[in-house]
Amino acid sequence: MTTTNHKIKTTGSNAVLMSLIEEGIETIFGYPGGAIMPIYDSLMNYQGKLKHILTRHEQGAIHAAQGYARATGKVGVCMATSGPGATNLITGIADAMIDSTPLVAITGQVASPLLGTDAFQETDVVGISMPITKWNYLITKTEEIPMIIAKAFYIAKTGRPGPVLIDIAKDAQFGELEFEYKKCTSIRSYLPVPKLNEAKVKEAADIINQAKKPYVLFGQGVVLGNAEKEFREFIEKSGIPAAWTILGLGALPTDHPLNMGMLGMHGNYGTNIKTNECDVLIAIGMRFDDRVTGDLKRYAKQAKIIHFEIDPAEMNKNIIPDVAVLGNIKEALPILTKHIQKRTFESWISEFKKNYQQEYETVIKNDLYPEKEGLTMGEVMRMINESTNGNAIIVTDVGQHQMIASRYAKLNNSRSFITSGGLGTMGFGLPCAMGAQVGSPDKQVIAIIGDGGFQMTIQELGTINQSEIPVKIVLLNNKYLGMVRQWQEMFFDKRYSETYLMNPDFIKVAEGFGIPGKKVLERPELESAVKTMLAAKGPYLLEVSIEKEDNVFPMVPTGASVSEVILSKEKK
């Protein structure tokens, strides 16, 4: 469909920005440089139509674009120059690829006559990024710009979403063209959504109707498919207990009576062990990641497995299902719900509740209501829950705090928990929270970050200040690389090799960037400090000093079965 009424003669750099406007883009995150300077110069022509957020590092730009996309469901956009600017995007691109985040990254490139000459700041970013993008393309001709950008957006947001990179030679930015924009609606040989086989859905329903101990595992596919309503209707009619992967958190309210909790290495006790006790396992929009399955040779061998998935590459990859249903989950679930019987599984669910009570007495009570002197990560999350009533967007970095936040966050809404799942990227939290806040200005965005990851992208405090982004930062400081230290404690005889951190005065650092903050050392200060942070009109840093050996349990050790989950250090 043509969205411009007539052709307009303009430059390639203008055409890039006009194309973004045609795609409904309002915000770009980026960092300028020589090879992309023509586009940045043209930005001056579109003030009021395009908002640009100047990050302090290109990694900050792409993580912010990820946060924007994850919070809004829209395509995130970032820009960088050639060479080191482009390569600084690579970590974020890889993160977006494995976590299915729709992004369009635009990089400048040296002029086309210089390609392959090792010119100043020339890097083959198309070659480098090929394994970690859904698609990428080098534009050397000005007239290609509208068509390639339209194609990029279509690929990024359709089917299983993901990142696309467009590299634009500098001479193509300077050149002229007759601009006409046509949105891309199809590409030959690209079939983003497999045709749903309704007979397979009916076959799945027949198995579910015969089940005595069925169990649903749901992931981010429910969110990406905008199928939260359809999923909830299926769950409530079926009466089946359900558990989520870390990226599925929020697709079903955490206090829903059929929500049994979190799967995986640091998931809930019952949700893990019941995987090897159910008779039918229904996987919806999840990919059987190794952190969820543990030892595949001992995973759900007693169960019939049904897998609903949009990406054919994920089907039969780790687990061979008895019934494989390829297609759009939003289309498949209503059909499944129609064919299943309305049932309850009180006895089966009571087993989960017994497991939860065991976990509560051993782990949860001590995390949330500690009797020991030192502060815990869990009680900080409890205070945040009590103050936000489950309506905030929680963004995390990677480490112990990430696992604690995912275990204890109380959430009412979808797209309200954002973390780096598959790649586990330290430094993700702060810039991602910026992007989420820009995309959701009417919501409270809280970044939960450890002292290690915070220092990887701490310079983005400058972006937060300059762009007046009112994100709230909770820094859980134990002066260690906590997750690595926990493994060293448990599996390497407490040989704490290179995990101690001599940290700066974070409050003074934040104040240097114009951001107020407070450091909490004692329990009586915590509640009022959390309320003060949330009441702040602008950005705020709350640093909480956490005891060193505040470990995360339960835990499924690497290579173990999910049935071998550890509840405490004493119960290995």
Side-chain angles (χ1 to χ4, degrees):
M1 182 179 71
T2 302
T3 56
T4 51
N5 295 324
H6 57 278
K7 293 182 180 181
I8 303 168
K9 189 170 185 178
T10 191
T11 63
S13 59
N14 278 329
V16 170
L17 301 174
M18 292 163 68
S19 298
L20 295 180
I21 291 169
E22 292 286 352
E23 288 291 343
I25 298 303
E26 299 174 345
T27 304
I28 306 167
F29 303 89
Y31 200 96
I36 202 167
M37 204 173 294
I39 294 174
Y40 271 87
D41 180 69
S42 290
L43 262 177
M44 301 288 287
N45 302 328
Y46 297 94
Q47 294 183 28
K49 292 185 177 180
L50 287 170
K51 180 180 181 181
H52 181 273
I53 304 291
L54 175 63
T55 59
R56 296 303 184 265
H57 192 284
E58 291 87 356
Q59 184 178 351
I62 194 159
H63 288 331
Q66 287 178 272
Y68 183 94
R70 295 268 292 273
T72 64
K74 301 176 183 177
V75 178
V77 177
C78 63
M79 299 197 303
T81 193
S82 63
T87 58
N88 281 342
L89 298 178
I90 293 298
T91 296
I93 293 172
D95 194 289
M97 185 68 174
I98 200 165
D99 281 356
S100 307
T101 305
L103 292 182
V104 171
I106 297 170
T107 53
Q109 184 55 275
V110 300
S112 52
L114 296 176
L115 290 170
T117 69
D118 291 332
F120 177 66
Q121 291 193 332
E122 181 196 0
T123 301
D124 179 11
V125 70
V126 167
I128 291 169
S129 65
M130 193 171 292
I132 53 170
T133 50
K134 278 190 77 175
W135 182 64
N136 62 18
Y137 191 87
L138 170 61
I139 294 177
T140 57
K141 298 178 181 178
T142 305
E143 59 269 22
E144 292 182 305
I145 289 173
M147 177 188 69
I148 295 302
I149 291 180
K151 189 174 179 181
F153 274 88
Y154 177 68
I155 292 173
K157 66 188 177 185
T158 51
R160 179 180 180 177
V164 172
L165 182 137
I166 304 300
D167 200 30
I168 309 178
K170 194 169 184 179
D171 52 327
Q173 299 172 48
F174 277 123
E176 291 191 340
L177 77 161
E178 296 285 337
F179 180 81
E180 181 183 32
Y181 199 78
K182 296 180 180 179
K183 284 193 176 183
C184 181
T185 57
S186 65
I187 298 171
R188 185 179 177 183
S189 79
Y190 171 57
L191 302 173
V193 181
K195 182 177 174 57
L196 184 67
N197 184 336
E198 291 194 22
K200 286 288 184 183
V201 181
K202 179 64 166 58
E203 185 180 349
D206 290 342
I207 292 174
I208 293 169
N209 286 336
Q210 298 301 314
K212 295 181 179 178
K213 291 186 174 183
Y215 188 19
V216 170
L217 312 183
F218 65 96
Q220 191 185 202
V222 176
V223 178
L224 296 175
N226 298 310
E228 295 91 343
K229 177 177 177 288
E230 291 81 1
F231 178 71
R232 184 166 181 164
E233 289 172 351
F234 161 68
I235 288 293
E236 290 177 350
K237 181 179 179 182
S238 70
I240 300 174
W244 37 268
T245 69
I246 192 170
L247 295 184
L249 175 53
L252 188 69
T254 49
D255 64 355
H256 192 283
L258 292 172
N259 190 335
M260 298 296 112
M262 177 179 166
L263 295 161
M265 178 173 281
H266 291 289
N268 292 106
Y269 182 58
T271 59
N272 277 312
I273 66 171
K274 294 305 179 195
T275 307
N276 282 354
E277 296 178 15
C278 64
D279 60 354
V280 174
L281 191 67
I282 307 143
I284 299 178
M286 54 87 75
R287 59 187 179 86
F288 291 109
D289 176 76
D290 65 292
R291 286 292 175 101
V292 165
T293 65
D295 182 6
L296 284 169
K297 294 178 181 178
R298 294 180 285 166
Y299 183 77
K301 292 301 179 183
Q302 79 295 338
K304 289 186 177 180
I305 297 177
I306 300 166
H307 193 185
F308 287 82
E309 174 61 49
I310 198 169
D311 184 357
E314 294 294 348
M315 200 65 80
N316 301 316
K317 186 174 80 173
N318 296 326
I319 295 291
I320 308 299
D322 295 270
V323 180
V325 183
L326 272 171
N328 186 333
I329 197 67
K330 194 175 182 69
E331 181 185 356
L333 278 176
I335 299 170
L336 180 66
T337 303
K338 176 184 176 182
H339 288 293
I340 60 170
Q341 299 167 5
K342 185 172 178 62
R343 302 167 74 191
T344 57
F345 296 91
E346 292 179 8
S347 176
W348 174 227
I349 291 171
S350 71
E351 294 184 34
F352 282 89
K353 291 179 179 179
K354 288 177 183 176
N355 291 143
Y356 177 83
Q357 192 60 37
Q358 185 178 357
E359 181 183 346
Y360 182 86
E361 294 298 329
T362 308
V363 180
I364 297 172
K365 181 171 65 174
N366 297 322
D367 281 347
L368 301 184
Y369 303 96
E371 295 181 355
K372 53 190 172 184
E373 183 178 343
L375 287 160
T376 67
M377 295 176 282
E379 65 183 311
V380 177
M381 282 307 304
R382 177 173 61 83
M383 291 290 184
I384 291 171
N385 289 334
E386 290 172 359
S387 299
T388 61
N389 297 314
N391 294 316
I393 295 176
I394 304 294
V395 180
T396 84
D397 207 83
V398 170
Q400 286 180 312
H401 66 277
Q402 175 192 31
M403 295 296 103
I404 289 291
S406 58
R407 280 177 53 79
Y408 295 124
K410 298 298 182 185
L411 303 171
N412 299 324
N413 307 305
S414 187
R415 297 193 176 275
S416 56
F417 187 83
I418 306 172
T419 195
S420 172
L423 199 63
T425 304
M426 289 181 69
F428 175 88
L430 185 62
C432 179
M434 297 186 324
Q437 185 71 82
V438 170
S440 303
D442 298 329
K443 294 185 178 180
Q444 184 101 71
V445 177
I446 303 172
I448 311 293
I449 306 178
D451 46 317
F454 189 45
Q455 292 179 84
M456 288 192 172
T457 49
I458 195 171
Q459 70 278 354
E460 297 307 331
L461 291 174
T463 307
I464 289 170
N465 183 37
Q466 181 171 340
S467 297
E468 299 179 334
I469 303 170
V471 66
K472 307 301 184 285
I473 306 156
V474 178
L475 173 60
L476 301 178
N477 184 0
N478 61 6
K479 299 181 181 179
Y480 273 84
L481 300 175
M483 186 62 83
V484 182
R485 190 214 56 75
Q486 178 172 336
W487 281 55
Q488 289 173 334
E489 177 186 345
M490 296 182 66
F491 306 116
F492 292 87
D493 298 322
K494 296 188 176 182
R495 291 161 60 86
Y496 298 140
S497 176
E498 300 302 323
T499 46
Y500 169 72
L501 294 170
M502 184 177 288
N503 290 323
D505 185 328
F506 289 113
I507 300 302
K508 286 185 177 179
V509 171
E511 288 174 352
F513 282 104
I515 296 172
K518 179 178 175 59
K519 183 173 183 176
V520 172
L521 297 170
E522 305 289 340
R523 184 164 288 116
E525 304 174 278
L526 182 60
E527 183 176 1
S528 63
V530 169
K531 290 179 179 178
T532 298
M533 174 190 71
L534 295 176
K537 291 185 179 179
Y540 193 94
L541 172 64
L542 174 61
E543 178 185 357
V544 184
S545 184
I546 301 297
E547 65 173 23
K548 180 183 78 173
E549 294 189 354
D550 182 18
N551 290 332
V552 186
F553 289 100
M555 181 178 184
V556 180
T558 301
S561 164
V562 290
S563 298
E564 297 171 330
V565 57
I566 299 169
L567 274 173
S568 69
K569 285 185 285 187
E570 292 73 29
K571 297 184 179 182
K572 290 186 185 180

